[in-house]
Amino acid sequence: MAERSFVEEVKKLKLAEGEVFSGEGILAVTKALLESGVSYVAGYQGAPISHLMDVLADAQDILAEQGIRFENSASEATAAATLAASVNYPLRGAVTFKATVGTNVASDALANLASGGVTGGALIIVGEDYGEGSSIMQERSHAFAMKSQIWLLDPRPNLPSIVQAVKTGFELSEASHTPVMLQLRIRACHVHGQFVAGANRPPEFTLKEALEQPRRDVGRIVLPPASFLHEQEKIKERWPAAVRFVEERGLNEFFGDGDGELGVIVQGGSYNTLMRALERLGLADVYGHTQVPLYVMNVAYPVIDSEVLRFCKGKRAVLLVEEGQPNFIEQNVAAILRQAGVTAGLHGKDLLPMAGEYTTAVMIQGARAFFERYGVLQPQPKAEPARKVIPLVAATDEMPAPAEAEPPIESVVHARPPGFCTGCPERPIFSAMKLVERELGPHHVSADIGCHLFSILPPFHLGNTTMGYGLGAAGAAALNVPAGKRAISVMGDGGFWHNGLTSGIANAVFNRSDNLTVVVDNNYTSATGGQDILSSKARNATRSTGHEIEQAVRGVGVQWVRTMRRTYDVAGMRDTLREALTTKEPGPKVLIAQSECMLNRQRREKPIVRKAIANGERVVREKFGVDSDTCTGDHSCIRLSGCPSLSIKPNPDPLRTDPVATVLDSCVGCGNCGDVSHAAVLCPSFYKAQVVSNPSRWERLRERLRGTIIGWLQRGQAKRRERYAF
């Protein structure tokens, strides 16, 4: 069950030529693929490109009508290797995944693909996850494009430019026999707009024809001596062909008066932010008309020497806006200008930050510094720095103490780190690990990519390293020696099927590891949006699901395997973890912790419940609470759970000042807080209640009778207290 359904939106993919498409960038990319005559599409989900996979999955009927093959790939490497179909056949193929981690996973296949080259157009659509909204290490796809000589498109973030980039990407690939990478930043993925649709095109050459008419070219296989010739072919044939195509088709754009003394060179993906900065500086308007000449590089690699020289000719200076580091484009442009003897000054990272996202505020600061240096803008007066005055005498009513400088915002505003959702089945796993830690002491914990990585943060503070998706067990491979403790590895079911089965579990078997691996099985690749995987319980009409992780683990030779089918059983989880860490049985240990992702479960069940209530049906919802009279106020339940629905409120007892725990209405009734409290032998203050919608007549009568009796008893008790009150 994907995080978002596009069943209604994908109907727009059937728009005919001349009709106006209105929607999101992700959907526009899919429409562009249909208009490009693509033969096959594959990929692996990951922010900010996850929704593209969801759109493709929901549009399978439309894709099938056009004869397009779509696959949910097992990993980014699988997706990239799928492009092998374009090596010998005139088949247009596209794959998509998250950059840069997905590109890293796919690197072997991409490098081989780029070495041998392609016959059909091969397009790699990467979701560039760089900047303040990123969830990964800060790197850029640019480095990989340069390393393997894959052309990199970075279109302006508007729908017509993105759609055109998809179409010309295939044409550029075919013209230069080189795979092309299309970089889409998060704002480009989710930008809304319009473009005039074209007609959907079935592939000119089909996969069926390829199977029935196999072709073979040894020169395209990366094997000596062909591999030595590939490098020469890249430089002598493919590069010049790509440059000619970019020049002739005008893929890069020029705006403003080209004869100005100053200019700005900018990557296409940063164009909108730059225009906003120029508008704020009074050098452009909101409609995109600029007083400053601009050279917009919709093709970030290769850099076109002739266009750079033409733009910089006669200018005093240019500002190069290149987000992220290293400054690949700036170094390239500097070499071009130096070798051609162009005297224009080149500025970039000297005025803009070396690293980090170029937000509008950052861009304004850098652009202002550039235009002030060359007299286009007047320098702003520098504000006096706030100074802390130390009084010589004590403050009095006649002479109050001077105001101190305001403290930095990070010292006032608390950090809000990411955490588990309400009712998340992964939280009790780490609560149990903390309880075991009380008994056996701390253990080395090798973490993995996924929701479970939140365990490294408060309140659990678990996790020493993380090396990549599905590499939790591999991250502890070196720590496989006789010792008083065992290392613990964690991986999710998505990471298990992506990479963990071979690189983690099978590797542990082969090397006779004695460590423990916890596989968090919540039925979906939850961290990427809730897509189905091999072990998902849900029935999928187009994919094979229901394959047990335990069978796969035993299939590669693990003997000690335990499956906990309800992670909310904190005591059971604690006991099983203790057994795994203390057993004398040699060999790798695997604990499979199963419970459905609560976010997906609520997304599936809430509409059903709302509909039932609206129809007058009886619906019972479980909710947990805390008895304020019993709660001791030590808040251990919060420290061992961290559930967003657990909070505090004032103590109703006037003689007790400590606030008591309380359960908010956002509670989904998972029972984790109560299980944690009882497993840790904390307190008996938790209770479970049932909230009944549309109760029966008998339930209403019973509730009125119960309220009457309780009210009578409470009034009697109040009278007795008044009688004995002083």
Side-chain angles (χ1 to χ4, degrees), residues 391-545:
L392 299 178
V393 295
T396 63
D397 293 338
E398 291 77 16
M399 185 180 292
E404 294 185 359
E406 293 186 2
I409 190 170
E410 59 267 20
S411 67
V412 179
V413 179
H414 291 287
R416 297 187 63 188
F420 296 104
C421 301
T422 298
C424 177
E426 301 186 15
R427 183 179 287 107
I429 298 172
F430 301 106
S431 295
M433 288 177 67
K434 294 300 288 186
L435 294 176
V436 172
E437 186 179 275
R438 287 181 177 181
E439 302 177 36
L440 305 180
H443 289 69
H444 177 92
V445 178
S446 178
D448 205 326
I449 303 299
C451 298
H452 38 82
L453 192 57
F454 296 149
S455 63
I456 68 172
L457 301 171
F460 302 112
H461 300 285
L462 293 166
N464 299 68
T465 56
T466 178
M467 289 291 105
Y469 196 30
L471 295 176
L479 303 175
N480 180 27
V481 294
K485 293 180 181 178
R486 294 185 171 111
I488 303 174
S489 304
V490 182
M491 71 173 73
D493 45 359
F496 174 86
W497 294 114
H498 177 276
N499 192 22
L501 177 59
T502 53
S503 65
I505 306 300
N507 181 72
V509 173
F510 185 67
N511 289 287
R512 297 187 177 183
S513 172
D514 197 39
N515 293 329
L516 167 65
T517 299
V518 179
V519 181
V520 181
D521 182 7
N522 54 23
N523 291 7
Y524 314 94
T525 51
S526 301
T528 62
Q531 294 82 8
D532 283 334
I533 50 178
L534 275 164
S535 53
S536 293
K537 300 294 189 295
R539 298 182 64 180
N540 191 308
T542 59
R543 301 289 178 264
S544 177
T545 55

Side-chain angles (χ1 to χ4, degrees), residues 1-7 45 50-51 53-54 57-58 72 522-541 543 545 596-608 610:
M1 177 183 181
E3 181 178 61
R4 177 179 168 189
S5 173
F6 291 86
V7 173
Q45 61 276 351
S50 288
H51 286 349
M53 290 299 296
D54 298 337
D58 287 339
N72 285 99
N522 54 23
N523 291 7
Y524 314 94
T525 51
S526 301
T528 62
Q531 294 82 8
D532 283 334
I533 50 178
L534 275 164
S535 53
S536 293
K537 300 294 189 295
R539 298 182 64 180
N540 191 308
R543 301 289 178 264
T545 55
E596 183 181 8
C597 169
M598 184 57 72
L599 194 62
N600 279 278
R601 179 178 175 180
Q602 292 297 313
R603 190 179 292 123
R604 183 184 71 250
E605 292 182 350
K606 278 186 176 180
I608 299 173
R610 283 196 298 265

Side-chain angles (χ1 to χ4, degrees), residues 152-189:
L152 177 63
L153 305 184
D154 188 9
R156 290 191 291 136
N158 62 69
L159 263 55
S161 296
I162 293 170
V163 169
Q164 190 59 41
V166 173
K167 296 179 179 180
T168 55
F170 284 114
E171 296 170 358
L172 173 60
S173 176
E174 291 166 344
S176 60
H177 299 291
T178 302
V180 171
M181 189 177 290
L182 172 61
Q183 171 181 288
L184 293 178
R185 305 163 194 234
I186 186 168
R187 290 175 178 83
C189 291

